[in-house]
Amino acid sequence: MGSDGQSIRFARPSFRRAGSLPGASVSSAMRDHAWLALRINSVVRIFITTVLFIMNITVFPPREHPLLCYTIMWCYAALNVLPLVLQWDRVTPFAAALVPVILDLVVITTVLTLSGGFPKDTSNYITLFDDLYFLVPILAAFQLYPYVTAFSGVASVAVYISAAVAAAPAPDWVYLITHAAFIAMSSLCCVIFSFFQRSRVRTIAALVQQRSVLLGQVISLEEDERRKISEVLHDGALQSVLAAKLDAEEISQAEPDEDISGHVTRLESALADAARQLRYSVTELHPDQVELAGLERALRSMFEEGSARGGFELDLACDIAGPTPIDELIFRAAGEFLSNIVKHAGAKRVVVRLDVTAARARLAVTDDGSGIAPGVLAARASEGHIGVSSQRVRVEGMGGRFSLENIEPHGTAAVIELPVPAS
């Protein structure tokens, strides 16, 4: 634990921040990128320091205070090793971007001032070490803060001119201003680069987050489909099969002279009902049902079967111009409405109206049942029953409108409207 209460721990020898996960939030992705940029920049700074030290020893030795300059350079290199081996959990990406900029300017200016590296007479001067100011905005550009990059450029120009004037009260102003202008222009390019880099990282992070959300929705939809199949089989055909099993047992245990005609009649009725319900389930779940039979025929078959199961009167009318790419979506939404009516509404009459033109489709399913109590949909969704919610997401994802509301004096009206895309 640091002296300021900030936790410090050793990181894995990787350029990726430890503990980051692939589906993390946008802010987490931005933080990961800030740590990645900081560590890459640290490697670059260590490399530059090493190269400069070799050049100082062999080609351009410091004019003044060589030992002190070398000490500062290697302390600076050692400091840049810390981001590679340590990790401060509470360091913000902004601090990770700004602090190195300030440190770079301090070290460069200090070394150049102590070594006499600022040009006093540029007629025979080889420009090299004062070009280090170009590197400050370039390194800052790898972070995700354009305004930090802009600050590094402005600060580099200001510090460079101030330090050069302090080192030589009568400098070569043409050289000095020209050099400062080039630093400013390169800084502007770095700001633009940093801006587009930030935008790109945010876009990628948002896409990754959306992918995680969509993956969760797909898993929920699959679980809901399995639950729906289980409920259909359990509440329908399975009950009829169990009833037939009881009648079959009564027949097998009957005495030779006992009248079993009633049991036989019930057995035949139960088996016929089970076959009908299984046929309905297969028809509803068949992925090519709409394509094979057409939307109107598939809807009529499904609602007539639902009418027999739910015991309600059916009034169905379709006005369809022809097959469309959204027929399957309409059929699935209608199936969800019908399933809720049969299970929960207790309706006596159901009215279905479907109008499909070349531009727009509208499906309205109205019943005179018990309606929807407040909070029921939210409670069922929290329990994992997301059938209605999934249909709403699909319809609105296609640019359509979905509404489900109670009507007076009692009952429910479910309506979807969808634009018809080109085939």
Side-chain angles (χ1 to χ4, degrees):
M1 183 71 71
S3 59
D4 59 349
Q6 179 175 267
S7 58
I8 302 175
R9 59 187 174 86
F10 283 93
R12 298 174 182 175
S14 168
F15 285 117
R16 182 171 181 83
R17 186 171 182 267
S20 60
L21 297 174
S25 65
V26 174
S27 60
S28 177
M30 300 284 281
R31 183 180 179 90
D32 289 346
H33 183 90
W35 269 102
L36 174 63
L38 177 61
R39 291 176 176 179
I40 292 176
N41 286 351
S42 296
V43 173
V44 172
R45 289 184 176 97
I46 294 171
F47 173 77
I48 292 173
T49 303
T50 304
V51 171
L52 288 177
F53 176 76
I54 295 173
M55 295 182 67
N56 278 335
I57 292 293
T58 59
V59 183
F60 300 106
R63 300 171 183 172
E64 304 170 8
H65 309 97
L67 182 59
L68 181 58
C69 292
Y70 294 153
T71 302
I72 294 175
M73 291 172 62
W74 286 115
C75 288
Y76 176 66
L79 189 62
N80 277 285
V81 174
L82 293 181
L84 303 179
V85 297
L86 295 180
Q87 181 172 310
W88 287 265
D89 288 340
R90 297 179 185 177
V91 173
T92 64
F94 180 80
L98 182 60
V99 172
V101 170
I102 298 174
L103 186 61
D104 289 342
L105 291 173
V106 170
V107 171
I108 292 172
T109 305
T110 302
V111 171
L112 289 177
T113 301
L114 291 175
S115 65
F118 284 106
K120 297 181 174 63
D121 179 8
T122 58
S123 59
N124 297 313
Y125 183 77
I126 300 176
T127 303
L128 179 63
F129 294 110
D130 53 340
D131 288 339
L132 291 174
Y133 285 101
F134 280 98
L135 296 177
V136 177
I138 291 175
L139 292 176
F142 285 91
Q143 296 288 353
L144 299 176
Y145 294 94
Y147 35 89
V148 172
T149 306
F151 166 79
S152 68
V154 173
S156 296
V157 172
V159 171
Y160 169 69
I161 294 177
S162 300
V165 171
D172 185 339
W173 285 103
V174 174
Y175 169 81
L176 189 62
I177 297 301
T178 303
H179 206 242
F182 276 102
I183 295 176
M185 286 188 290
S186 65
S187 299
L188 178 60
C189 294
C190 291
V191 170
I192 297 174
F193 170 77
S194 181
F195 173 80
F196 282 107
Q197 177 179 264
R198 179 182 180 88
S199 176
R200 182 177 63 179
V201 171
R202 290 185 66 88
T203 300
I204 294 174
L207 290 174
V208 171
Q209 188 177 22
Q210 291 174 10
R211 175 184 174 275
S212 300
V213 172
L214 291 175
L215 180 61
Q217 291 178 348
V218 168
I219 294 174
S220 298
L221 288 174
E222 291 177 351
E223 293 176 350
D224 186 63
E225 291 295 331
R226 294 190 186 98
R227 187 183 297 108
K228 185 185 297 183
I229 294 173
S230 175
E231 291 175 353
V232 168
L233 295 177
H234 179 272
D235 298 341
L238 180 60
Q239 302 304 318
S240 298
V241 170
L242 291 177
K245 178 176 178 294
L246 293 176
D247 286 312
E249 291 175 352
E250 292 290 341
I251 292 174
S252 65
Q253 296 173 3
E255 299 295 332
D257 57 346
E258 184 179 347
D259 183 14
I260 58 173
S261 58
H263 294 299
V264 173
T265 301
R266 287 194 298 272
L267 175 61
E268 292 176 346
S269 176
L271 290 176
D273 189 52
R276 177 178 57 81
Q277 291 173 348
L278 286 173
R279 190 182 304 111
Y280 165 76
S281 301
V282 171
T283 300
E284 182 181 11
L285 297 173
H286 197 290
D288 298 327
Q289 174 64 21
V290 176
E291 183 178 350
L292 295 175
L295 179 57
E296 180 176 1
R297 183 176 175 183
L299 277 179
R300 190 173 296 278
S301 174
M302 181 175 65
F303 273 95
E304 287 177 351
E305 186 68 30
S307 174
R309 291 172 55 206
F312 55 78
E313 176 189 350
L314 176 64
D315 179 5
L316 186 148
C318 297
D319 184 6
I320 302 177
T324 71
I326 59 173
D327 286 354
E328 183 69 26
L329 178 57
I330 295 173
F331 181 75
R332 294 303 173 192
E336 184 63 37
F337 298 152
L338 174 62
S339 176
N340 288 330
I341 291 172
V342 171
K343 292 179 182 178
H344 310 296
K348 297 180 179 179
R349 188 170 188 269
V350 175
V351 178
V352 182
R353 295 290 182 265
L354 174 63
D355 297 301
V356 181
T357 66
R360 199 154 192 85
R362 185 179 189 274
L363 171 68
V365 180
T366 307
D367 68 78
D368 60 355
S370 58
I372 306 173
V376 168
L377 292 179
R380 287 183 59 79
S382 64
E383 296 171 357
H385 302 279
I386 59 171
V388 173
S389 300
S390 65
Q391 297 304 325
R392 182 187 298 275
V393 170
R394 290 171 178 171
V395 170
E396 293 179 350
M398 289 289 294
R401 185 179 68 87
F402 182 104
S403 67
L404 181 63
E405 55 188 17
N406 292 328
I407 56 176
E408 297 295 338
H410 50 78
T412 307
V415 179
I416 63 170
E417 294 183 1
L418 284 162
V420 177
S423 301

